[in-house]
Amino acid sequence: MSTPAVRMLHAAGVRYRLLEYELDPAAGSFGLEAAEKLGVPPERVFKTLVVEVDGAPLFAVVPVAARLEPKALGKRARLVDAAAAERLTGYVKGGTSVFGGRRRLPVLLDESALRYETVVVNGGRRGLQLELDPRDLLALTGGRAQRLTSRG
């Protein structure tokens, strides 16, 4: 199944791999479920959060098992609720991709992604993931890497 995210990567000539899995409606976390069902370590699977910093929306992309540290974004950072995120991106919760959304938003990727040759991110719908080089993700979105999670 093609999504705007998949079409964007294809049009850009970016190397990626589609990964699909069967959703469990009772799963508590789309990202952790994806990691488990795909057999990919959770530190390589990244969730896409829509965040507002000083009133401006952006994507914060962090490992599924980690928590976003809002202070890493600034004093006035907050998660956007699911309905507002859907209006901004055109994607439903659990299916939000940094690629091909309704609006192009700035992208911040947790710096831990750069430790890996490939990472897994949402492909634009629940149950569809994309595996790609995190450097390609940054190049295609104009994003930047920085620390977004607290270190324990």
Side-chain angles (χ1 to χ4, degrees), residues 25-83:
S29 166
F30 296 116
L32 289 173
E33 179 190 16
E36 180 182 328
K37 289 194 171 177
L38 296 172
V40 177
E43 59 272 9
R44 282 191 44 234
V45 179
F46 285 69
K47 58 189 170 188
T48 303
L49 305 173
V50 181
V51 180
E52 211 172 69
V53 179
D54 294 326
L58 59 87
F59 289 122
V61 185
V62 299
V64 296
R67 296 192 69 138
L68 173 68
E69 178 57 55
K71 290 178 186 174
L73 298 171
K75 288 183 182 180
R76 293 193 177 127
R78 68 171 188 86
L79 281 174
V80 172
D81 70 66

Side-chain angles (χ1 to χ4, degrees), residues 8-29:
M8 182 178 174
L9 290 177
H10 184 75
V14 171
R15 292 183 64 194
Y16 65 93
R17 191 165 69 114
L18 284 176
L19 306 170
E20 292 187 80
Y21 64 94
E22 182 93 20
L23 283 171
D24 176 1
S29 166

Side-chain angles (χ1 to χ4, degrees), residues 46-148:
F46 285 69
K47 58 189 170 188
T48 303
L49 305 173
V50 181
V51 180
E52 211 172 69
V53 179
D54 294 326
L58 59 87
F59 289 122
V61 185
V62 299
V64 296
R67 296 192 69 138
L68 173 68
E69 178 57 55
K71 290 178 186 174
L73 298 171
K75 288 183 182 180
R76 293 193 177 127
R78 68 171 188 86
L79 281 174
V80 172
D81 70 66
E86 186 174 341
R87 283 191 304 276
L88 280 167
T89 67
Y91 290 120
V92 298
K93 181 178 179 178
T96 304
S97 179
V98 296
F99 304 112
R102 185 173 287 149
R103 265 180 74 184
R104 185 176 175 138
L105 300 178
V107 174
L108 295 177
L109 175 65
D110 189 69
E111 64 188 11
S112 67
L114 298 177
R115 295 182 201 143
Y116 307 104
E117 286 184 32
T118 62
V119 294
V120 176
V121 296
N122 199 284
R125 73 170 166 78
R126 294 173 183 160
L128 180 67
Q129 302 289 311
L130 300 166
E131 182 177 18
L132 75 160
D133 186 321
R135 290 148 203 85
D136 288 339
L137 182 152
L138 292 173
L140 190 56
T141 62
R144 74 172 197 264
Q146 71 178 57
R147 186 187 63 79
L148 298 175

